């Protein structure tokens, strides 16, 4: 895998800095918003803040080890900052900025009243003990101090963190703010500590609803539902594992899965329970019986109907997108496809359900959790899932309708651009990603203007 820190370009000289990519995606959408004030747009593209903290912990082996942590808030026009906390050895400040900005656009796409934020600690959780992770989390949260809070900036799980980490975040913050209802400071908590039923699988379930809706609207001619479709899933963590289960319950066949150690392929379908057991016992899905081992690179080229990247950024690039054999890509990871790969896949006629729509189920149920926390309620899982389905269907319709609306008014938009003297290439029909960005940028711009730019 190409990493973000050591290598910012592929052999094809492709830009791999996630923040530059996130900005390019915004720039592309802005071309279809001729009335968007350029100064306002420049502001909307940039993060409000990036906090860097450095801190030590005493590890289980008795040594003092130092860590760097980040928290970026991209935009709070529509509500408090919201975004996960990632523990990963290669995480960079620009990656955190990019992830924070994708959160702003994602919350706008699903009309959840939050802004965008993201946090990270540069660490390898696999090399830390359980106690080390607890100490690191407590120290990180205490260093962030009042930069997070139930009405200012609300963390959640991401790569390398989970419900248990969220419980520690809550406990640390609560000890620092006694006598208040602090449950809403973090979402993705264990259910018995104020977590929402359905949150753990919400990202995958949301992606499932988006896919089903898009298929029912004719995104893939001749395929209107998931029954009998074949899927390859990259990443077998929280999101990938639940996605495999939910799509397979709907009649799809999971033909390939992978994790950071490698992947497995079985054209007849993988036994998911055996895969989960094998991963628990050995740390990886590799070597699972009745399957063939494949590399992560090979997984992306497996013949299948739907490819689901559910691991990290920059997996589909200019050097490998041409070999994708799937008919549809559903981005459950954040930022898995570079702009060059977008073009290649679009030329091949492979549509993409983009991250800021497809994986927004997680933040949607995080919002439901926050509402439950503020009201001291616990909703039934069926109610959570029903509300999630409604939200994801409305968001999918909103994005696909916007795509159709833009593509049927390119001449009018071109004329409007000329009137306001916007230079640039001729407008071409937009893909689903650009439509989602158009929806999101428009919403955040409108709210910013309605609130007024202070003073
Ligand atoms: P996780 O840590 O639970 O799982 C990540 C998985 O990816 C692991 O199985 C890991 O082994 C695998 N992986 C890492 N590098 C890989 C590689 N090069 N190739 C294949 N697999 C690799 O994390 P998660 O919460 O499942 O998050 C996965 C993705 O989904 C991330 O992009 C995250 O930002 C995104 N996401 C997560 C949520 C959420 O609610 N957890 C919400 C929205 C988006």
């Amino acid at each position: 895998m190409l990493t973000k820190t050591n290598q910012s370009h592929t052999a094809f000289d492709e830009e791999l800095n996630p923040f530059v990519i996130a900005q390019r995606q915004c720039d592309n959408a802005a071309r279809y918003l001729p009335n968007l004030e350029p100064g306002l747009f420049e502001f909307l593209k940039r993060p409000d803040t990036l906090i860097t903290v450095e801190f030590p912990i005493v590890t289980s082996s008795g040594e003092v080890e130092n860590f760097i942590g980040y928290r970026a808030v991209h935009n709070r026009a529509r509500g408090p900052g919201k975004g996960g906390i990632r523990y990963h050895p290669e995480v960079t400040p620009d990656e955190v900025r990019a992830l924070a900005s994708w959160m702003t656009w994602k919350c706008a796409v699903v009309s959840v009243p939050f802004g965008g934020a993201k946090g990270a600690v540069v660490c390898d959780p696999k090399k830390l003990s359980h106690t080390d992770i607890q100490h690191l989390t407590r120290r990180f949260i205490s260093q962030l101090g009042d930069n997070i809070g139930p009405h200012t900036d609300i963390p959640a799980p991401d790569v390398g963190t989970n419900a248990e980490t969220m419980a520690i975040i809550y406990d640390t913050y609560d000890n620092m703010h006694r006598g208040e209802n602090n449950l809403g400071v973090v979402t993705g908590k264990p259910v018995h500590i104020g977590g929402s039923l359905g949150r753990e699988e919400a990202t995958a379930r949301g992606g499932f609803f988006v896919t089903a809706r898009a298929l029912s609207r004719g995104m893939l001619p001749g395929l209107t539902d998931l029954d009998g479709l074949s899927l390859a899933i990259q990443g077998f963590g929280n999101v990938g594992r639940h996605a495999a289960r939910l799509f397979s319950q709907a009649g799809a066949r999971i033909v390939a899965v992978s994790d950071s150690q490698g992947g497995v392929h079985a054209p007849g379908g993988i036994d998911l329970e055996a895969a989960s057991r094998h991963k628990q016992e050995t740390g990886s899905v590799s070597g699972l019986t009745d399957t063939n081992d494949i590399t992560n690179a090979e997984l992306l080229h497996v013949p299948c109907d739907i490819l689901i990247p559910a691991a990290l950024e920059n997996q589909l690039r200019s050097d490998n997108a041409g070999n994708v054999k799937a008919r549809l890509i559903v981005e459950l990871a954040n930022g898995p496809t570079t702009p060059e790969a977008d073009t290649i896949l679009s030329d091949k006629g492979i549509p993409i359900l983009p991250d800021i729509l497809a994986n927004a189920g997680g933040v949607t149920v995080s919002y439901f959790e926050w509402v439950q926390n503020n009201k001291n309620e616990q909703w039934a899982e069926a109610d959570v899932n029903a509300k999630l389905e409604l939200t994801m269907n409305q968001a999918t319709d909103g994005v696909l309708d916007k795509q159709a609306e833009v593509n049927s008014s390119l001449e009018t938009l071109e004329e409007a651009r000329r009137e306001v003297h916007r230079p640039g290439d001729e407008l071409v029909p937009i893909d689903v990603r650009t439509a989602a960005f158009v929806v999101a940028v428009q919403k955040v711009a409108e709210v910013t203007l309605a609130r007024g730019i202070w003073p």
Side-chain angles (χ1 to χ4, degrees), residues 365-377:
V365 177
S366 274
Y367 166 59
F368 298 160
E369 179 173 329
W370 184 75
V371 173
Q372 291 171 73
N373 291 158
N374 290 335
K375 294 161 94 178
N376 277 313
E377 285 181 3

Side-chain angles (χ1 to χ4, degrees), residues 1 86 88 99 106 118 126 157-161 199 203 234-240 258-261 279 296 310-313 315 332-334 359 362:
M1 184 183 73
R86 178 172 289 194
H88 194 275
L99 290 161
K106 191 181 301 185
K118 203 80 180 191
K126 287 184 195 147
D158 192 73
V159 173
T161 58
R199 172 59 184 92
T203 304
Q234 186 197 47
F236 205 60
N238 174 311
V239 176
S258 71
D259 54 38
S260 58
Q261 312 299 307
K279 184 163 168 68
N296 262 305
L312 292 171
E313 298 92 44
Q315 298 303 300
L332 294 189
N334 284 304
N359 73 30

Side-chain angles (χ1 to χ4, degrees), residues 50-318:
L50 175 75
I51 296 161
T52 304
V53 293
E54 299 197 34
F55 56 89
I57 62 161
V58 180
T59 63
S60 309
S61 57
E63 285 161 13
V64 175
E65 209 176 312
N66 296 297
F67 295 90
I68 296 184
Y70 306 104
R71 184 77 187 168
V73 176
H74 174 252
N75 186 291
R76 273 196 285 231
R78 298 184 62 263
K82 186 84 190 83
I85 290 189
R86 178 172 289 194
Y87 288 174
H88 194 275
E90 286 161 12
V91 75
T92 67
D94 271 355
E95 183 178 359
V96 178
R97 285 191 185 97
L99 290 161
S101 74
W102 285 323
M103 285 305 297
T104 301
W105 311 128
K106 191 181 301 185
C107 291
V109 164
V110 283
S111 296
V112 159
F114 287 139
K118 203 80 180 191
V121 177
V122 185
C123 67
D124 187 347
K126 287 184 195 147
K127 294 192 178 141
L128 293 168
S129 72
H130 189 252
T131 310
D132 292 346
I133 291 174
Q134 286 203 358
H135 289 171
L136 176 149
T137 303
R138 287 198 190 281
R139 187 65 197 249
F140 178 47
I141 294 307
S142 77
Q143 298 274 131
L144 289 180
D146 283 340
N147 289 295
I148 61 165
H151 301 286
T152 49
D153 181 9
I154 305 153
D158 192 73
V159 173
T161 58
N162 54 26
E164 204 181 319
T165 329
M166 301 306 113
I168 301 296
I169 293 178
Y170 164 67
D171 186 68
T172 308
Y173 186 89
D174 192 54
N175 271 295
M176 291 161 63
H177 300 82
R178 298 254 169 116
E180 296 163 33
N181 173 6
N182 294 310
L183 284 169
V185 70
V186 63
T187 58
K189 300 179 291 295
V191 172
H192 58 287
I193 314 178
S196 178
L197 291 162
R199 172 59 184 92
E200 195 187 306
E201 56 273 68
T203 304
R205 195 181 291 280
F208 170 80
F209 289 140
V210 170
T211 310
R213 187 69 162 193
L215 289 182
S216 76
R217 287 182 52 129
M219 176 163 267
L220 290 184
L223 288 185
T224 49
D225 68 43
L226 291 157
D227 196 14
L229 298 193
S230 56
L231 262 77
I233 302 178
Q234 186 197 47
F236 205 60
N238 174 311
V239 176
R241 212 165 14 92
H242 286 299
R245 185 176 52 79
L246 290 167
F247 279 86
S248 109
Q249 279 169 358
R253 204 168 72 255
I254 313 303
V255 296
V257 294
S258 71
D259 54 38
S260 58
Q261 312 299 307
V264 289
H265 182 214
I270 291 169
D271 177 343
L272 295 174
E273 277 188 23
S276 289
R277 255 195 327 271
H278 185 79
K279 184 163 168 68
Q280 210 161 15
E281 284 161 15
T282 67
S284 173
V285 291
S286 281
L288 178 67
T289 43
D290 298 329
T291 64
N292 299 317
D293 276 356
I294 52 171
T295 64
N296 262 305
E298 286 165 342
L299 178 131
L300 300 171
H301 305 154
V302 158
C304 60
D305 294 304
I306 302 178
L307 172 63
I308 299 189
L312 292 171
E313 298 92 44
N314 294 332
Q315 298 303 300
L316 293 164
R317 304 174 303 266
S318 59

